[in-house]
């Protein structure tokens, strides 16, 4: 079996995907027309050509403009349904999906439109055998009080979410600013994750672990600069949701061959592979596995470990995780019997 066949065949969970980052230019144009929203770009091709970034902020500037076309419940449904369809094609069986409520409420879009649209798309994905958990993220470039107010506003929807996260511009916006809202989220029984160490220093990862008490770190690349931190992540089995193509497109690594994923696995970190914002970075989850495997010369065994980690690192109940891992072990047996 070739590497790409193995990747396609393996059941996977995707733990780091921003639904708004799955807004493909074609759908973006369709929604702009539907909502009579005028775009600066004349065509899908012209828009795609603008997707060249040298850092996180350059991406975020265009990402927040793109999501202006999302206005109605139907738009949020279409967005999520399109992503779930792509994920199903990649044999993704479970998704923990991020979205940015403040990027929509700040434009006057009601939370109800967002949640209703997503929930209808999730019900359809569930019918096709895929489980989905929603994780709203707080925008860290906004004041922490805004995050607290957003969390209060989400009270009617707490049943519909599994956790909260922290994203957007990292440098200069440390996790320590968000202790209050994370305490509230944990008290409400939610899981917590935070983007840290994508561009920001190892210190931000320490803060996410020690002060926000997160269950998982998103990216975490720069943990590898601090051996004590690596020890902490390994000891506590804190999963990292790694996004190879995103890291390449945003200049976090200049070449995928320099990506820390292999070192993470070798250190015993529960590293997982994810797509982050696939419409902007050139690939959904299987493409991320394939590019990482090729650049880092990952073995079939490494790839199987990554697929298993995606479930171990998820917030699924133990019995579901065990059942997905048993399916992966079936494929592992086929690999062994062929070699
Ligand atoms: N929002 C969407 N994608 C992001 C990323 N890679 N880092 C921080 N915030 C984001
Ligand atoms: Zn992200």
């Amino acid at each position: 079996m070739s590497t790409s066949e193995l990747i396609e065949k393996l059941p996977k969970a995707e733990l780091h995907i921003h639904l708004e980052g799955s807004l493909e230019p074609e759908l973006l144009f369709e929604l702009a027309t539907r909502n009579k929203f005028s775009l600066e770009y004349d065509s899908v091709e012209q828009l795609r050509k603008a997707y060249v970034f040298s850092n996180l902020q350059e991406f975020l500037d265009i990402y927040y403009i793109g999501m202006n076309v999302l206005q109605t419940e139907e738009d949020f449904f279409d967005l999520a349904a399109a992503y779930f369809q792509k994920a199903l094609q990649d044999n993704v069986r479970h998704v923990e999906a991020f979205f940015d409520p403040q990027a929509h409420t700040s434009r006057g879009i009601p939370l109800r439109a967002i949640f209703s649209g997503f929930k209808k798309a999730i019900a359809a994905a569930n019918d096709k055998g895929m489980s989905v958990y929603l994780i709203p993220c707080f925008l860290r470039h906004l004041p922490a009080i805004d995050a607290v107010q957003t969390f209060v506003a989400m009270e009617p929807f707490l049943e519909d979410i599994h956790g909260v996260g922290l994203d957007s511009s990292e440098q200069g916006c440390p996790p320590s600013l968000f202790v209050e809202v994370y305490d509230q989220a944990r008290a409400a029984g939610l899981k917590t994750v935070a983007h840290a160490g994508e561009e920001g220093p190892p210190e931000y990862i320490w803060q996410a672990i020690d002060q926000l008490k997160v269950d998982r770190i998103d990216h975490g690349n720069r943990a590898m600069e601090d051996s004590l931190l690596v020890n902490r992540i390994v000891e506590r089995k804190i999963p990292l949701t790694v996004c190879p193509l995103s890291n390449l497109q945003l200049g976090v690594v200049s070449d995928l061959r320099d990506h820390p994923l292999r070192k993470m696995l070798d250190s015993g970190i529960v590293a997982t592979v994810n797509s982050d914002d696939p419409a902007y970075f050139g690939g959904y989850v299987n493409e991320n596995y394939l590019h990482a495997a090729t650049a880092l010369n990952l073995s079939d065994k490494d790839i199987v470990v990554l697929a298993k980690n995606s479930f171990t690192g998820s917030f699924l109940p133990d019995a579901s995780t065990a059942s997905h891992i048993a399916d992966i072990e079936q494929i592992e047996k086929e690999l062994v019997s062929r070699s």
Side-chain angles (χ1 to χ4, degrees), residues 261-288:
L261 177 65
R262 171 174 278 293
K263 288 198 190 85
M264 289 170 173
L265 290 174
D266 291 345
S267 317
I269 291 175
V270 182
T272 65
V273 166
N274 308 272
S275 67
D276 206 6
D277 302 284
Y280 293 87
F281 301 146
Y284 286 76
V285 74
N286 282 1
E287 284 290 313
N288 275 273

Side-chain angles (χ1 to χ4, degrees), residues 13-258:
E14 176 146 57
L15 308 179
H16 186 157
I17 160 76
H18 301 261
L19 288 172
E20 297 92 338
S22 72
L23 178 55
E24 291 287 349
E26 289 78 5
L27 181 59
L28 196 154
F29 265 81
E30 200 182 311
L31 299 186
T33 307
R34 184 152 95 194
N35 293 322
K36 301 184 176 52
F37 185 88
S38 86
L39 291 170
E40 275 179 42
Y41 301 91
D42 292 332
S43 66
V44 165
E45 293 69 35
Q46 203 193 18
L47 179 57
R48 232 182 251 286
K49 278 205 187 111
Y51 291 176
V52 180
F53 318 106
S54 51
N55 56 41
L56 174 59
Q57 194 58 51
E58 283 186 16
F59 155 68
L60 290 170
D61 290 344
I62 214 162
Y63 165 78
Y64 292 125
I65 292 173
M67 64 176 82
N68 281 323
V69 301
L70 295 164
Q71 298 189 358
T72 65
E73 173 184 326
E74 190 188 2
D75 301 340
F76 287 94
F77 170 85
D78 288 346
L79 172 71
Y83 164 70
F84 296 144
Q85 181 63 31
K86 294 268 195 187
L88 275 167
Q89 284 166 6
D90 275 2
N91 206 4
V92 170
R93 304 274 175 90
H94 174 68
V95 176
E96 301 189 354
F98 297 143
F99 63 105
D100 292 326
Q102 290 154 291
H104 311 301
T105 53
S106 62
R107 302 182 286 116
I109 310 295
L111 283 171
R112 188 157 299 284
I114 308 171
F115 277 97
S116 302
F118 285 165
K119 280 172 64 181
K120 283 186 186 153
I122 290 172
N126 292 160
D127 289 344
K128 294 176 189 151
M130 188 162 81
S131 52
V132 181
Y133 293 168
L134 285 176
I135 303 182
C137 291
F138 302 115
L139 297 181
R140 69 202 304 163
H141 69 270
L142 297 178
I145 185 69
D146 211 296
V148 172
Q149 287 162 352
T150 302
F151 187 62
V152 171
M154 282 196 296
E155 182 123 7
F157 307 101
L158 290 188
E159 288 286 292
D160 302 320
I161 65 177
H162 265 77
V164 297
L166 185 67
D167 66 1
S168 197
S169 325
E170 187 180 11
Q171 302 268 26
C173 308
S176 57
L177 297 171
F178 296 89
V179 167
E180 183 183 350
V181 75
Y182 271 68
D183 282 347
Q184 291 169 344
R186 245 179 301 103
L190 294 168
K191 299 287 189 188
T192 58
V193 300
H195 282 54
E198 179 184 18
E199 285 187 344
E203 170 59 19
Y204 286 13
I205 306 178
W206 280 112
Q207 288 181 14
I209 295 171
D210 291 339
Q211 300 187 40
L212 303 186
K213 302 184 170 55
V214 293
D215 298 292
R216 205 159 67 200
I217 294 283
D218 297 309
H219 295 294
N221 298 47
R222 293 194 58 191
M224 306 315 285
E225 296 169 25
D226 179 341
S227 59
L228 282 181
L229 180 54
V230 169
N231 290 346
R232 176 68 59 89
I233 289 169
V234 172
E235 267 165 32
R236 297 249 191 108
K237 298 190 173 66
I238 299 170
L240 301 188
T241 62
V242 176
C243 306
L245 289 176
S246 161
N247 292 160
L248 184 64
Q249 296 303 325
L250 300 186
V252 170
V253 293
S254 50
D255 190 307
L256 268 190
R257 286 172 294 191
D258 302 327

